[in-house]
Amino acid sequence: MITIYLCILVFLLCLSIFDLFVGVSNDAVNFLQPAVGARVVKFRTILIIASFGVILGAIMSSGMMDVARHGIMMPNQFSFSDVMIIFLAVMVTDIMVLDAFNSFGLPTSTTVSIVFDLLGGTFALATIKMAHNSSLSYSILLNSSQALNVIIAIFVSVAIAFFFGIIVMWITRVFFTFSYRKYAKYFIAIFGGIAFTTLAYFIFLKGLGSSPYISDASRNYINVNANRLLIYTFIVSTIIMEIFYLLHINIFKFIILMGTFALAMAFAGNDLVNFIGVPLAGLSSFQDYMSHAHGLAPTAFMMNSLMTSAKTPPAYLLLAGIIMIIAIGTSKKAQKVIKTSVDLSRQDEGDEMFGSSKAARALVRFTQNTGNALTRILPNRFNNWINSRFNKNEVILADDKAAFDLVRASINLVLSAMLITIGTNHKLPLSTTYITFMVAMGSSLADRAWSRESAVFRVTGVLSVIGGWFMTAGIAFITCGLVCLIMYFGGFPIQLLFMGLIIFLLIRSNHKYTEKEKKQDEEDDSFRLMMRIRDPELVWDILKKHVSRTQSFENEFALKEYNQILNGLAEEDVKSLRHANKELKVEQNNLKKYRRQEMLGLKKSPLDIAVERNTWFHLGANANQQFLYSLKRMLDPIKEHVDNSFSPLPASYVQEFQPMKQRINNLMKNTEAEISTGSYENYREILAEADGCKDELSILRKKHLYRIQEGDNSQMQINLLYLNVLQESQEFLSVMRHQLRAAKKFMEN
């Protein structure tokens, strides 16, 4: 029996190491984004500073481990067997939920996931225990008050982060403007002093004040003299900041680097429980059972020991911190720091990752109406003065690749670190992902980074992220409850089966992520480079490559789908036709994204070239779209026909069309080769061959029309279907000609 629980424990500990790598790789962008987005120093320097913060935060995070031990459940009411089942179900569900969200590309949070996993698993077993013992209740089995505090803190923190992001950023921008160097001599020392004092208070005074690694005398001194220390810190730090300014040291860069350290420390202190809290609670439970069970069965030994605060050995915390640092430094996912929040909060225009939604449109319209009403009430002189403080044409960026300026980056870091540290000091696990995200969204809104043309898309993005968070909570709660019940009644064989499932999911997820990243890296990097560069000539060179790659891919994609549809008809393969239908829908959305990206690139290109090539750009983009429309018109009746098991396409028709299909394949491949290589030596020959092929299709279509007139009416359905194939194949070639012609004219030097 002990061997079974030892296997579960080893599995939990292995998952904790994996969670550290994956979780940190995914969440490191939270504290790296502002510094990297503002391009303050080299990426390596930022990593080194963040690493020190992670180590210190990990070592000081011991108190947060109590959330996994008794923050949700009342462990004295559960046996050793019960808590091990809950812990295993929590870790299994956590991996399953995160894998599912990543597969669908939906936003999620490790904090929300782990908290609601614990709540769902504990709720499920509590329900079973209540069914067997009527004297028990949820208030006895669940730590209701603490669980409610945790849940409320997570939810409320999002609104608080967004609100303070708006207020603090707006006030700061009014003082400094986008041309912050003009006004730095008046406000920079005070601003730096406030920033340093805020971080020092919440990290060093409050953090060290509750740390188990200092003496009681030191802790009491800090608690008693906190206000005096705060005043001294502000005075000294303000003087130091003024000296830095006189020495021509960029105070904003100093604040950003200090904020990176602070946010990395707050992240490690708050989020470490997400990755190792449950496995360490499992380890503590196993050690307690082995030491004090004295022959009691696992189902009879109650876990009173988990009611006490965690005494996590510093070596474990230090090891976890080292693993986190290795993950940050080596993971490609961690190094790709310009993610969703930077794209949604950037100062310049760019591709909008999200569409518009009804809720977003309503919010934007309400905000605009409110803003217009306030403008009418306030004096014109005041409105004009405020507008002059928000002149984005004066923005000072560290370099052309910066997403926003140093002022906004410093606010994002300092405010996020402060809010997370407040939660950590109160032993409330907050979602660092959504704290940093919502602060960034609030500051970008206050900074007028959301224009009327982009606001509805970015609000949709914010709502999508928050919606994903709510989905995580509900799905994690329900899934963990079900998994816990299955494990409870299924015993060790079912538990072993779930372990195998998780190993499979981890391998598959890693493989799918590698393939996805390989496909997206090049196009995403080129677009971001195009948006950051300010030289129109360089933008034009990148745009030509982007457009060429899009057209080449769409040509290749269209041919693949064309063959798949025709083969699905000939072989009556409804699965293949459904797959083609799904792929066409996905590509439809991709094309919208590519077109938006390329339009923004064209807007930043040299004016004379943009005007001259505009027609050919749109002709090529329309051709890409027409490929999909033609394929959809061909697919829909074919899919319905095959799905209904109607008469198959006669073999004579398949044989008759085969030469034309081969010629279309050759023409499409030759066109793709011309576009991808940029060499149009066979341009006229391909167009002539396409015209000839269209003529032969016309002859074949007339022949088939005579066949319909003279044939048996019972074959009318399949005859009309074949006629549609001939007509759309002809249209397919016309689209190919337009694409080739547009590509050549657009790329001409």
Side-chain angles (χ1 to χ4, degrees), residues 81-279:
S81 175
D82 292 335
V83 298
M84 292 302 284
I85 289 174
I86 291 174
F87 292 153
L88 180 60
V90 165
M91 295 302 289
V92 165
T93 305
D94 193 49
I95 299 294
M96 289 170 61
V97 170
L98 294 180
D99 178 73
F101 273 72
N102 290 335
S103 298
F104 288 107
L106 296 172
T108 187
S109 163
T110 54
T111 303
V112 173
S113 178
I114 205 74
V115 167
F116 280 88
D117 283 337
L118 278 166
L119 190 59
T122 306
F123 180 85
L125 280 198
T127 303
I128 294 175
K129 295 181 80 67
M130 287 166 54
H132 291 102
N133 187 346
S134 59
S135 64
L136 295 175
S137 65
Y138 289 122
S139 60
I140 296 174
L141 297 169
L142 294 175
N143 190 352
S144 305
S145 58
Q146 179 64 16
L148 186 62
N149 288 338
V150 169
I151 294 168
I152 291 174
I154 292 175
F155 280 85
V156 172
S157 65
V158 169
I160 291 174
F162 187 67
F163 175 78
F164 279 100
I166 294 174
I167 298 299
V168 175
M169 186 69 246
W170 192 86
I171 294 173
T172 305
R173 188 62 74 190
V174 168
F175 278 104
F176 285 102
T177 76
F178 284 97
S179 182
Y180 60 85
R181 289 171 185 163
K182 292 181 182 179
Y183 304 94
K185 60 183 177 182
Y186 303 114
F187 309 116
I188 192 64
I190 296 176
F191 178 80
I194 293 173
F196 185 89
T197 304
T198 300
L199 293 174
Y201 175 70
F202 286 108
I203 291 176
F204 297 108
L205 298 183
K206 295 292 289 183
L208 287 176
S210 58
S211 172
Y213 303 113
I214 65 172
S215 64
D216 292 337
S218 299
R219 187 181 298 108
N220 291 333
Y221 177 82
I222 291 174
N223 292 332
V224 171
N225 298 282
N227 293 334
R228 184 185 303 173
L229 291 172
L230 205 60
I231 295 171
Y232 292 161
T233 303
F234 174 71
I235 294 172
V236 173
S237 61
T238 301
I239 294 172
I240 292 174
M241 293 300 167
E242 184 63 30
I243 294 172
F244 281 178
Y245 175 76
L246 295 175
L247 294 175
H248 302 290
I249 296 174
N250 192 317
I251 305 300
F252 283 112
K253 285 190 176 182
F254 176 80
I255 293 172
I256 290 169
L257 294 177
M258 179 179 67
T260 300
F261 169 85
L263 190 53
M265 178 179 169
F267 162 80
N270 182 81
D271 279 26
L272 194 59
V273 65
N274 301 341
F275 311 132
I276 67 172
V278 170

Side-chain angles (χ1 to χ4, degrees), residues 383-503:
N383 290 329
N384 293 335
W385 180 76
I386 290 294
N387 289 332
S388 70
R389 311 299 286 182
F390 285 85
N391 184 3
K392 291 188 286 186
N393 294 327
E394 298 179 349
V395 64
I396 300 173
L397 300 178
D399 63 33
D400 288 340
K401 296 181 180 179
F404 36 76
D405 68 354
L406 301 180
V407 179
R408 180 134 60 97
S410 62
I411 292 298
N412 288 350
L413 279 163
V414 172
L415 191 56
S416 299
M418 183 186 74
L419 292 174
I420 295 168
T421 308
I422 291 173
T424 303
N425 288 333
H426 287 85
K427 297 186 179 181
L428 296 173
L430 304 178
S431 173
T432 58
T433 300
Y434 292 105
I435 290 288
T436 54
F437 179 82
M438 294 308 293
V439 167
M441 293 304 98
S443 65
S444 61
L445 177 61
D447 227 11
R448 301 188 181 181
W450 298 3
S451 66
R452 291 192 65 157
E453 285 72 25
S454 64
V456 68
F457 302 117
R458 299 193 186 186
V459 172
T460 300
V462 174
L463 295 177
S464 297
V465 171
I466 296 175
W469 180 47
F470 278 94
M471 287 177 62
T472 303
I475 293 174
F477 178 86
I478 295 171
T479 305
C480 190
L482 292 175
V483 170
C484 197
L485 290 175
I486 294 170
M487 286 184 177
Y488 181 84
F489 291 109
F492 184 67
I494 296 297
Q495 296 166 16
L496 191 62
L497 190 64
F498 270 108
M499 293 181 196
L501 174 63
I502 292 307
I503 294 172

Side-chain angles (χ1 to χ4, degrees), residues 297-308:
T299 54
F301 183 76
M302 308 306 287
M303 295 309 304
N304 297 304
S305 61
L306 292 183
M307 292 296 294
T308 60

Side-chain angles (χ1 to χ4, degrees), residues 572 574 578 637-647 717:
E572 297 185 90
V574 69
R578 287 172 181 168
I638 290 176
K639 179 174 171 291
E640 182 182 5
H641 185 91
V642 175
D643 222 356
N644 289 330
S645 301
F646 291 157
S647 300
Q717 185 75 24

